[in-house]
Amino acid sequence: MQQLGKYLIIIGVFIIIFGLIFFLFGNKLHWFGNLPGDIKIKRENFVFYAPITSMILLSVLISFLIWLFSRIKL
């Protein structure tokens, strides 16, 4: 149970860090969600948005961070 608490604290710290990054540098991250491969369909009364490439990039980044922290063995 202590291990779960440690992981929750680590996840909380990362959420705070990502929140600060988006708060401070949000205007400089406008490219995220507008990468080639992100699908946007705009019609008169309909908008469809599927950020496929952005989510793949985010998945690779999160997988790398999980791998890195598993090697450090917090």
Side-chain angles (χ1 to χ4, degrees):
M1 205 57 153
Q2 275 185 323
Q3 197 71 5
L4 177 63
K6 183 191 281 188
Y7 288 139
L8 288 174
I9 290 172
I10 291 169
I11 290 170
V13 168
F14 278 112
I15 289 173
I16 290 171
I17 289 170
F18 285 129
L20 285 172
I21 288 170
F22 285 121
F23 179 73
L24 297 174
F25 303 108
N27 56 351
K28 293 180 172 84
L29 296 173
H30 64 278
W31 56 269
F32 189 76
N34 293 318
L35 296 172
D38 291 343
I39 299 171
K40 284 188 253 181
I41 300 173
K42 293 182 182 180
R43 301 282 164 89
E44 192 173 313
N45 293 323
F46 176 77
V47 176
F48 176 76
Y49 180 66
I52 296 169
T53 307
S54 297
M55 291 300 107
I56 291 172
L57 181 67
L58 189 63
S59 175
V60 168
L61 178 67
I62 290 171
S63 296
F64 174 73
L65 289 174
I66 290 171
W67 174 82
L68 185 66
F69 283 114
S70 70
R71 301 299 258 171
I72 294 173
K73 295 183 182 178
L74 292 173

